[in-house]
Amino acid sequence: MNEMLLQIDGKEVKASEGMTILEAARSVGISIPTLCHHEKLNPYGACRICTVEVEAGGRTNFVPACIYPAASGLVVRTRSEKIDKTRKMILELMLSHAPDAPALKDLAKEYGADRDRFEKEPSFCILCGLCVRYCAEVKKKSAVGFIDRGPNREINFIPEIASKECWNCKECFPLCPTSYLQTAYHLTEALAFPSSSFLRTRLRGTPMLGA
Amino acid sequence: MARINSPAELEEFRKDIISKKDPNRPCIAVCTGTGCLALGAANVVAAFKEEIEKQKLQSKVDVVDIRETGCPGFCERGPIIVIYPEEICYLQVQPGDAKEIIFETILGKKIIDRLLYVDLTADKKVVHESEIPFYKNQKRLLLGNNIKIDPKSIDDYLALGGYSALVKALFHLTPEQVLELVKNSKLRGRGGAGFLTGVKWEFARRSPDKTKYVIVNADEGDPGAFMDRALLEGNPHAVLEGLIIGAYAIGSHEGYFYVRQEYPLAVKNIGIAIKQAEEYGFVGKNILGSGFDFTIKVHQGAGAFVCGEETALLMSLEGKPGEPRPRPPYPAVKGLWGKPTNINNVETWANVPLIIKNGSDFLTSIGTEGSKGTKIFSLVGKVNNTGLVEVPMGITLRDIIYKVGGGIPGGKKFKAVQTGGPSGGCIPEEFLDIQVDFDELAKVGAIMGSGGMIVMDEDTCMVDVARYFLNFLTDESCGKCTPCREGIRQMLKILTNISKGRGREGDIELLEELARTTGDASLCALGRTAPNPVLSTIRYFRDEYEAHIKDKRCPAYVCKELISYYIDPDKCQACMICLRKCPAEAIDGGKNRIHIIDQNKCTKCGTCFEVCPSRFGAVTRLSGEPVPPPFPEEKRTIVRKSKDK
């Protein structure tokens, strides 16, 4: 396997072919924040919180560390005023959805992000896609997927699959940084699994949802 | 038609086609591009055909051919016809004109004055297409043939020397030499980024995989842009020939046309062209006996703007959601189904046969230091001659807008020109003399993009323009990455608030900060260029933003929440025109009773302002100031002295 030498925050770092900047940095104890990254899943590069500065061929670029391949001669900076500002803004954008998500709160403290900078959005999903990708890549079920696009993009359980596959799995629940997923699941369950134990126990007795 | 198996056979066949065409035989070329079709060109063609049939029956002579062509560009004045061999150009032709044209012009050899272009600046009528100022100032290397050929006829293309570049490439040049020619021509990709085509090809050629793909990106999605559509509809074989040559240079044996399904005529014409090329042996196995194999498929996109981004296009071609993939790896290394892939825009491919046929100097002799050749723009908005214009790189914006475009209609003042589609930038008057090329446009905060050019006059609100484009982009963002999805969402919210009078101190700075994050950290070019309309309007029209935020005033009287219409009681003559035309029934008044607008009912459509006779000029627009209280009832009656007896 090819060994490569790159520079991260002034440190010479050895990396092998196929490694990302994130992996190379972590191998020497340099931490880069991530949200949509998961070791069991293919790199996705959606949340952009891992954005770092890369200098190559005389040009400086902002790239996501979780997908950008490590290469010889790269000069990487994981912190700078510009990077911190970018991460702060990305956090503030996410906090408008999930102001109380623990993962976001911790990062907000580090980068000085203001949870109230933007008006609150109705959905608290930050669309990291962990659930969707875990279900597709690890469980190979695709019981949860993305629908629509742009600001209308959301995750949704596919009732036909979810009603068969989810009841004894729920491995995606702990992955969700905002617990939106559980709500989405229970909503699907309530609306689309007429025979589920959930409905039998809840709807007959105490009124729920909005009561 | 039998397959053509060698260059010699092709030349023989070409001679045969040309010999059968009588250059002196009259021919009426009618533009049946999408623009002219919308203006009724199909009925014009039908009327001509009917008239020709009648002629045949009466005099037993077949006097004239009719040719249905692609778009020559002057869409403003469609349906357009050009009569050969004299090249008489008639504009805005209606079915009712057919008989007269056949009798007067074809048989009588007389010009019909009323159908000619009137050059107002020189106060004269123009007979020939090439003398119309709109065309005179263009350099139509790519679009020029559109009116000369029937896009459904490969023979028409061959008669003009078509596929001779392919012969030259396959039989007289090695793939490396073809690549060298394209590199030396300094052709830059016409899709937007302006990357050197030859260098891009070289990356794909050098990729070690045996299977490689070449793709025509015809997913033209900018609002108001139709350059690629006109090429595909009007001269599909030129694009096809370029693609085959590119495949030869790169070492690819499979190609795709990615066309949006909203372009039904382009899809149809390119399908016909491929089928004809297959029959003639220009596509398929052992092309013209050269041993080179190449097949082509057409894929119809579902019309997502983001699929014009090359990695999203690849995802879509693979049958997945059209979301961009991270680069690297670049498509040249790992593209369609993981194989090296070269994607170029329609216009880029159409340039290739010209370079091969005429040499790379042909292109480098035109244009500026960094941008060679011509560029097609779709010139739209507040300009007299809307349509497609092909101009040499390096022409000034002023020449495009005033010489080709004929200036701003209605004597209005120019305000800005937006280049590069929704993620382009707005350029103000002070930069009208910059030379249009990739680098100069970037310097003033705009981009070349694929060639959209929207002219705006003084009645345009720049905050509203930024809001419009962000609204488009918010719909078209795929939503995968945070900075693009959320950044555009927030920028749009702020712009909407500003245009509704809810702007706050600090909004401009917040917009700039959001724009920076979206531009720096987004996954693909859609997000990375999305801030351009915001940043360029702030840069050049900051005072308009401030007027909206601080004075709650829209200087161009566009943002409805910030304007009111008011009837000046001293000027109102109680003519009742506005009262009758008001669609909201918001105007109170009557005969000899001064009219008053009920501000609660008024929808601010502006009808009263438009219909109030200019000799009265009683309806005014207000912005940033309160509407005066209603005129007292007792003073509303007009006493007309002249009518008193």
Side-chain angles (χ1 to χ4, degrees):
Chain A
M1 203 176 261
N2 268 339
E3 285 262 303
M4 313 181 276
L5 212 57
L6 63 155
Q7 205 192 75
I8 305 179
D9 291 344
K11 260 190 208 176
E12 294 287 321
V13 180
K14 267 188 212 156
S16 50
E17 181 109 31
M19 266 171 104
T20 61
I21 291 180
L22 180 71
E23 288 163 340
R26 287 190 174 168
S27 73
V28 293
I30 296 172
S31 89
I32 298 171
T34 58
L35 283 168
C36 71
H37 182 74
H38 191 284
E39 272 149 23
K40 281 188 184 168
L41 305 176
N42 290 329
Y44 188 56
C47 77
R48 316 302 276 191
I49 201 73
C50 68
T51 296
V52 294
E53 257 177 59
V54 164
E55 237 176 78
R59 286 176 57 192
T60 307
N61 254 325
F62 278 82
V63 304
C66 73
I67 358 177
Y68 203 87
S72 273
L74 284 188
V75 178
V76 181
R77 270 184 300 277
T78 70
R79 289 297 283 263
S80 75
E81 201 191 323
K82 257 188 117 176
I83 294 170
D84 286 7
K85 265 192 176 169
T86 303
R87 288 191 190 148
K88 173 176 175 278
M89 178 58 89
I90 291 172
L91 282 168
E92 285 166 341
L93 289 168
M94 288 177 173
L95 285 163
S96 74
H97 290 272
D100 297 317
L104 294 184
K105 273 166 117 177
D106 292 347
L107 284 169
K109 209 185 258 175
E110 188 173 347
Y111 290 94
D114 174 4
R115 73 199 281 274
D116 298 319
R117 185 142 193 214
F118 299 106
E119 204 181 68
K120 293 288 156 292
E121 295 292 336
S123 154
F124 47 98
C125 178
I126 57 167
L127 296 162
C128 64
L130 283 171
C131 53
V132 174
R133 288 145 57 216
Y134 187 86
C135 194
E137 292 173 26
V138 177
K139 304 300 289 188
K140 312 235 180 273
K141 301 290 185 204
S142 296
V144 57
F146 291 117
I147 58 163
D148 220 330
R149 63 180 188 196
N152 297 324
R153 185 180 174 97
E154 53 183 55
I155 57 151
N156 244 299
F157 283 90
I158 291 106
E160 289 80 358
I161 308 174
S163 60
K164 287 194 198 87
E165 308 287 350
C166 295
W167 64 278
N168 69 347
C169 171
K170 299 193 176 87
E171 285 170 34
C172 57
F173 281 19
L175 298 177
C176 178
T178 71
S179 68
Y180 174 79
L181 178 74
Q182 295 187 39
T183 319
Y185 177 74
H186 289 309
L187 190 62
T188 313
E189 195 181 34
L191 295 174
F193 313 170
S195 61
S196 81
S197 59
F198 174 82
L199 275 185
R200 264 180 268 124
T201 53
R202 296 281 177 87
L203 283 193
R204 243 183 253 145
T206 45
M208 51 158 313
L209 290 181
Chain B
M1 167 67 207
R3 219 185 116 90
I4 300 169
N5 291 310
S6 70
E9 272 183 50
L10 173 62
E11 288 320 310
E12 201 58 37
F13 182 65
R14 195 193 309 277
K15 260 187 220 154
D16 192 44
I17 300 171
I18 296 171
S19 70
K20 280 181 191 153
K21 285 189 193 264
D22 173 6
N24 294 316
R25 184 179 156 80
C27 173
I28 305 172
V30 185
C31 167
T32 51
T34 296
C36 281
L37 279 180
L39 291 163
N43 296 336
V44 175
V45 171
F48 273 124
K49 283 186 175 161
E50 194 184 327
E51 208 49 53
I52 292 168
E53 275 309 303
K54 270 192 212 156
Q55 274 298 309
K56 270 191 211 165
L57 286 176
Q58 276 170 12
S59 54
K60 309 267 183 242
V61 277
D62 187 6
V63 288
V64 60
D65 288 332
I66 184 131
R67 183 198 300 144
E68 298 172 45
T69 77
C71 173
F74 202 5
C75 309
E76 176 79 30
R77 301 295 180 88
I80 297 172
I81 71 166
V82 178
I83 297 165
Y84 290 91
E86 298 90 347
E87 296 191 16
I88 301 162
C89 180
Y90 288 152
L91 305 169
Q92 292 173 316
V93 177
Q94 298 305 313
D97 300 324
K99 192 172 179 181
E100 191 183 351
I101 291 171
I102 301 250
F103 275 89
E104 293 290 317
T105 308
I106 304 293
L107 299 171
K109 299 289 168 204
K110 277 183 284 194
I111 308 282
I112 303 168
D113 257 18
R114 77 186 150 79
L115 295 172
L116 293 176
Y117 177 82
V118 184
D119 185 355
L120 290 173
T121 51
D123 197 27
K124 60 167 189 182
K125 296 203 167 177
V126 184
V127 176
H128 300 112
E129 190 193 41
S130 55
E131 292 156 6
I132 297 175
F134 175 77
Y135 290 119
K136 206 164 61 183
N137 295 298
Q138 296 189 40
K139 190 166 183 67
R140 299 195 298 153
L141 301 180
L142 304 174
L143 283 178
N145 282 345
N146 272 17
I147 195 79
K148 294 183 193 151
I149 57 174
D150 174 351
K152 295 183 179 70
S153 158
I154 190 170
D155 291 0
D156 274 13
Y157 184 67
L158 288 172
L160 292 180
Y163 289 104
S164 56
L166 179 66
V167 168
K168 186 175 172 188
L170 292 181
F171 293 92
H172 304 286
L173 300 170
T174 62
E176 290 83 1
Q177 285 170 325
V178 173
L179 190 67
E180 212 49 39
L181 272 175
V182 176
K183 269 173 88 175
N184 290 342
S185 77
K186 297 186 181 157
L187 176 66
R188 292 172 73 170
R190 302 300 197 234
F195 194 77
L196 283 163
T197 306
V199 176
K200 195 171 182 176
W201 286 16
E202 198 171 26
F203 285 144
R205 180 175 169 76
R206 282 195 187 156
S207 283
D209 213 301
K210 256 188 168 174
T211 309
K212 290 171 188 172
Y213 296 102
V214 285
I215 296 175
V216 180
N217 182 350
D219 193 58
E220 186 173 50
D222 300 3
F226 50 105
M227 298 76 60
D228 297 346
R229 189 186 75 199
L231 281 173
L232 289 177
E233 282 177 5
N235 197 354
H237 284 287
V239 185
L240 195 55
E241 188 179 0
L243 180 70
I244 307 167
I245 295 169
Y248 172 71
I250 290 163
S252 159
H253 302 289
E254 232 175 295
Y256 284 90
F257 272 83
Y258 187 96
V259 196
R260 47 178 44 219
Q261 52 91 19
E262 288 104 320
Y263 281 1
L265 189 58
V267 171
K268 185 175 163 195
N269 286 2
I270 198 70
I272 294 171
I274 292 172
K275 196 158 171 281
Q276 289 173 337
E278 280 168 352
E279 280 170 19
Y280 278 41
F282 301 141
V283 171
K285 288 239 172 277
N286 191 18
I287 294 170
L288 291 170
S290 65
F292 177 65
D293 306 333
F294 183 62
T295 57
I296 303 174
K297 290 192 185 101
V298 177
H299 182 97
Q300 292 188 48
F305 177 68
V306 71
C307 288
E309 199 279 339
E310 56 180 18
T311 60
L313 184 149
L314 293 176
M315 291 282 279
S316 169
L317 252 181
E318 290 174 6
K320 297 173 191 152
E323 289 167 13
R325 306 203 270 238
R327 298 184 304 181
Y330 286 89
V333 178
K334 229 178 147 186
L336 190 61
W337 294 299
K339 303 291 182 190
T341 302
N342 181 78
I343 306 159
N344 283 124
N345 163 271
V346 171
E347 197 181 331
T348 316
W349 288 116
N351 267 292
V352 172
L354 294 177
I355 297 167
I356 302 304
K357 206 191 298 184
N358 306 310
S360 41
D361 295 347
F362 175 71
L363 213 69
T364 51
S365 67
I366 308 162
T368 60
E369 187 52 39
S371 307
K372 300 294 183 191
T374 61
K375 176 78 194 88
I376 306 177
F377 289 99
S378 69
L379 186 63
V380 296
K382 300 293 177 63
V383 62
N384 277 313
N385 303 333
T386 58
L388 283 186
V389 306
E390 183 179 351
V391 287
M393 294 276 193
I395 189 175
T396 63
L397 280 168
R398 193 182 298 280
D399 281 354
I400 297 180
I401 295 166
Y402 287 92
K403 282 196 183 153
V404 180
I408 317 292
K412 300 268 183 183
K413 252 186 77 191
F414 169 87
K415 187 169 202 173
V417 55
Q418 212 260 5
T419 67
S423 40
C426 295
I427 303 169
E429 171 127 43
E430 58 186 291
F431 295 117
L432 270 189
D433 292 308
I434 62 162
Q435 295 197 310
V436 175
D437 73 5
F438 286 100
D439 312 303
E440 291 299 312
L441 286 175
K443 274 185 204 161
V444 295
I447 52 172
M448 176 79 85
S450 57
M453 191 172 274
I454 304 173
V455 183
M456 302 168 198
D457 68 6
E458 55 186 317
D459 289 340
T460 314
C461 167
M462 299 317 283
V463 177
D464 188 60
V465 165
R467 191 198 55 78
Y468 170 82
F469 285 119
L470 267 282
N471 189 41
F472 175 84
L473 290 169
T474 201
D475 273 347
E476 296 296 340
S477 158
C478 79
K480 177 174 172 178
C481 76
T482 316
C484 177
R485 180 187 67 241
E486 302 298 331
I488 296 177
R489 184 210 304 265
Q490 295 299 343
M491 285 192 279
L492 176 61
K493 268 192 181 178
I494 297 169
L495 289 167
T496 307
N497 278 341
I498 295 177
S499 69
K500 291 194 166 173
R502 298 197 298 258
R504 286 178 306 203
E505 201 71 28
D507 273 357
I508 299 179
E509 291 71 23
L510 182 55
L511 277 174
E512 286 173 326
E513 207 184 323
L514 278 163
R516 244 191 326 268
T517 303
T518 306
D520 283 344
S522 289
L523 168 62
C524 79
L526 190 151
R528 293 201 174 223
T529 56
N532 284 344
V534 181
L535 288 176
S536 65
T537 48
I538 292 180
R539 183 165 157 192
Y540 300 121
F541 302 96
R542 201 182 179 101
D543 53 334
E544 280 195 37
Y545 277 84
E546 282 167 355
H548 281 77
I549 296 169
K550 289 181 189 152
D551 311 333
K552 309 294 172 209
R553 181 170 62 87
C554 175
Y557 301 99
V558 171
C559 300
K560 284 191 175 176
E561 271 84 351
L562 299 182
I563 58 166
S564 326
Y565 288 89
Y566 172 66
I567 300 172
D568 186 342
D570 295 335
K571 291 183 179 164
C572 178
Q573 296 299 315
C575 70
M576 310 222 314
I577 295 178
C578 65
L579 187 145
R580 287 201 193 99
K581 297 267 178 179
C582 175
E585 299 184 353
I587 299 176
D588 176 57
K591 210 175 166 190
N592 293 332
R593 214 161 134 255
I594 289 172
H595 304 347
I596 289 174
I597 298 174
D598 181 342
Q599 297 295 333
N600 294 325
K601 282 189 188 165
C602 176
T603 58
K604 298 169 188 180
C605 64
T607 304
C608 52
F609 182 76
E610 278 159 28
V611 299
C612 182
S614 56
R615 61 183 189 281
F616 304 153
V619 180
T620 54
R621 298 177 298 190
L622 305 172
S623 186
E625 54 182 310
V627 182
F631 205 51
E633 197 57 44
E634 64 275 13
K635 291 190 191 164
R636 281 179 69 183
T637 310
I638 301 178
V639 182
R640 294 183 200 273
K641 283 172 194 156
S642 58
K643 283 183 185 169
D644 288 346
K645 289 207 171 148

